Amino acid sequence: MHPRNRYSKGLALEKLAQVDAKLAKHLTFRHGSLQLDFQDETAVRALTAALLAHDFGVHCTLPPDHLCPALPNRLNYIHWIEDVLHASHITDVQGLDIGTGSIAIYACLACAMHPAWTMVGTDIDPSAVASARATIESSPSLAQRITLVETTPHAPLFPRGKFAFCMCNPPFYASPADRQASASAKQEVRRKCTGHATELYTPGGELRFVQRMMDESMQESNRARIVWFSSMLGKLSSLHAAVAHLRCAKITNYAVTEFMQGTTKRWAIAWSFHGARLPDTLVRSEALAKLAPRSTERTTLISANGIAAALRECATLPKEHVDVTVLGEEHVALGLYSACWTRGARRKRKRKEVLAQRADPVLQVELRAQHGKLTIRWLYGMDAVLFESLSKHLFDYLANYSRE
């Protein structure tokens, strides 16, 4: 569970029971504490409604013929999106939730947790949109910041507008037969998991839906106006295939993660056509090592004053092509507006030729010296070759410096 998830230490059933009579009648005292029967769908719906009301100020009626969202797992996804946006230095946030559902759960949670955010939620089910609208309109603060869009199965997935991110929790299954054959589905059936057909099934299942998201995201109009695309996945096999789809399309700026809630595992994938690069701590894990994107960090051993030595080398580069920001002791950031460190660029300078430079950086990195090591982390840029080239240039210089 995400460390910021408010339910990481369990549910405060005793406190909820004192303020929510509808939930209290479903609780029984066993083994020294109040317990809820999670096999009882009515009890679970009462719990979800109570948590939304008392922890987030969202008042809703959960339709009996639609899925009841598990809040801890939904929060894991939102917190991961928060981390992605923070690492990308995005502060002006409008999000998109594809398939928002009967209470627009992601939109409501996101806006309840972030008063400055706005959200757009889409759905192909008119009854879900009507129910979600009733939920949103019951809270004036949400009604001002959440927009619902009823769409159709064959309409474009991404409506008009600019978005910092999009998120999606697509239907797992291709058909009722597919659901029946799934081991996880058999568990759901035992729990009497009720859901509308549009929530449970989509042609080709979750994988085909996410592949469609990826294909539509590659359209120039979409890749320019949405910074981070993302989706949750219910099957590890779907994650493997989704990563393969990105790699086949040569999309290298992506992230994968795993969510754990009790014994339930879910996965998420995000991808972007913009320049912000996420830290390895956010996109790479040992459990998903084979699926992880290329590392954005390079490390080398250094002697004392490694940062100072690296800065001396940067000082030999054209000042108008390099921005240096001191972030702390032995910690700096570099912004480079051309590949001015390369041999080709140096030869041009010797010939007194003007180096072409862009208005925006072609590469941003941070350098941090710690415990006898220098780490270069890629912060921004579209060209992995430039990052590797700069890293090698600085590391070669430091290796020569240490031998002097």
Side-chain angles (χ1 to χ4, degrees):
M1 192 178 291
H2 194 283
R4 291 198 304 277
N5 194 313
R6 66 185 301 150
Y7 303 121
S8 60
K9 296 182 180 179
L11 302 173
L13 293 179
E14 289 80 4
K15 286 186 177 180
L16 277 175
Q18 293 173 8
V19 295
D20 196 295
K22 291 182 179 179
L23 173 63
K25 70 179 184 180
H26 293 286
L27 301 176
T28 57
F29 193 81
R30 298 197 310 262
H31 309 297
S33 64
L34 287 176
Q35 303 285 326
L36 183 127
D37 181 5
F38 284 90
Q39 304 301 315
D40 182 344
E41 188 177 3
T42 302
V44 172
R45 289 179 182 276
L47 172 63
T48 299
L51 292 173
L52 283 171
H54 299 287
D55 291 345
F56 299 98
V58 176
H59 300 275
C60 67
T61 299
L62 292 157
D65 58 341
H66 285 74
L67 290 173
C68 177
L71 293 194
N73 216 17
R74 301 306 193 270
L75 287 175
N76 285 335
Y77 190 3
I78 291 176
H79 286 315
W80 187 61
I81 290 291
E82 292 170 345
D83 294 339
V84 168
L85 297 180
H86 177 75
S88 304
H89 304 287
I90 297 173
T91 55
D92 185 11
V93 177
Q94 175 168 248
L96 170 64
D97 178 23
I98 298 174
T100 199
S102 63
I103 58 170
I105 185 63
Y106 284 120
C108 287
L109 289 175
C111 287
M113 295 161 64
H114 298 278
W117 285 21
T118 60
M119 293 288 296
V120 173
T122 69
D123 208 290
I124 63 173
D125 177 11
S127 65
V129 173
S131 174
R133 183 166 284 115
T135 296
I136 292 166
E137 290 177 350
S138 68
S139 173
S141 64
L142 295 181
Q144 295 173 2
R145 294 185 291 125
I146 298 176
T147 301
L148 297 178
V149 177
E150 184 180 329
T151 184
T152 64
H154 302 293
L157 292 175
F158 308 111
R160 294 180 180 178
K162 291 185 177 181
F163 301 98
F165 70 93
C166 81
M167 62 195 312
C168 181
N169 186 15
F172 286 177
Y173 311 112
S175 65
D178 179 28
R179 183 185 182 209
Q180 190 62 35
S182 168
S184 61
K186 291 175 183 176
Q187 178 64 29
E188 288 178 359
V189 170
R190 284 196 294 271
R191 293 199 308 265
K192 298 180 180 179
C193 179
T194 300
H196 195 276
T198 57
E199 298 174 307
L200 298 172
Y201 313 118
T202 186
E206 62 175 6
L207 174 60
R208 183 65 198 102
F209 193 92
V210 173
Q211 288 174 334
R212 179 188 169 192
M213 286 181 66
M214 292 174 173
D215 293 342
E216 290 192 22
S217 75
M218 296 179 210
Q219 297 172 12
E220 188 60 38
S221 61
N222 291 331
R223 62 196 292 168
R225 63 191 178 87
I226 302 175
V227 183
W228 283 101
F229 300 86
S230 77
S231 181
M232 188 184 287
L233 291 162
K235 303 173 186 176
L236 183 57
S237 60
S238 296
L239 182 65
H240 278 267
V243 168
H245 198 76
L246 287 182
R247 290 174 174 173
C248 184
K250 294 182 169 46
I251 299 172
T252 60
N253 193 9
Y254 72 91
V256 292
T257 193
E258 180 180 83
F259 304 132
M260 177 72 78
Q261 171 60 34
T263 60
T264 300
K265 287 184 179 181
R266 294 289 183 266
W267 297 269
I269 186 167
W271 65 99
S272 178
F273 302 94
H274 292 240
R277 299 285 163 165
L278 303 178
D280 286 358
T281 53
L282 186 56
V283 303
R284 297 172 63 85
S285 67
E286 187 175 340
L288 301 174
K290 293 183 179 180
L291 300 176
R294 193 172 189 170
S295 173
T296 55
E297 296 183 1
R298 299 292 179 267
T299 301
T300 188
L301 296 174
I302 57 171
S303 58
N305 300 319
I307 287 286
L311 289 179
R312 279 197 293 274
E313 171 59 12
C314 291
T316 68
L317 303 176
K319 291 183 179 179
E320 66 272 18
H321 290 254
V322 183
D323 281 338
V324 178
T325 304
V326 177
L327 301 175
E329 188 177 355
E330 299 291 294
H331 186 197
V332 299
L334 302 178
L336 298 114
Y337 293 81
S338 72
C340 54
W341 65 89
T342 62
R343 289 181 180 177
R346 291 175 185 275
R347 284 195 291 266
K348 282 187 176 182
R349 292 204 302 276
K350 284 184 179 180
R351 296 194 298 266
K352 296 185 179 181
E353 296 179 20
V354 177
L355 292 178
Q357 68 180 100
R358 290 173 46 178
D360 298 321
V362 297
L363 185 66
Q364 289 179 329
V365 299
E366 69 172 358
L367 283 64
R368 185 190 295 270
Q370 199 170 28
H371 307 306
K373 295 181 179 180
L374 178 70
T375 298
I376 301 179
R377 188 170 83 77
W378 189 9
L379 300 177
Y380 180 90
M382 300 301 295
D383 193 339
V385 173
L386 288 182
F387 172 62
E388 297 293 353
S389 172
L390 177 65
S391 300
K392 184 177 185 303
H393 173 74
L394 290 177
F395 287 172
D396 287 349
Y397 173 81
L398 291 172
N400 293 330
Y401 170 82
S402 64
R403 287 194 292 267
E404 294 176 356

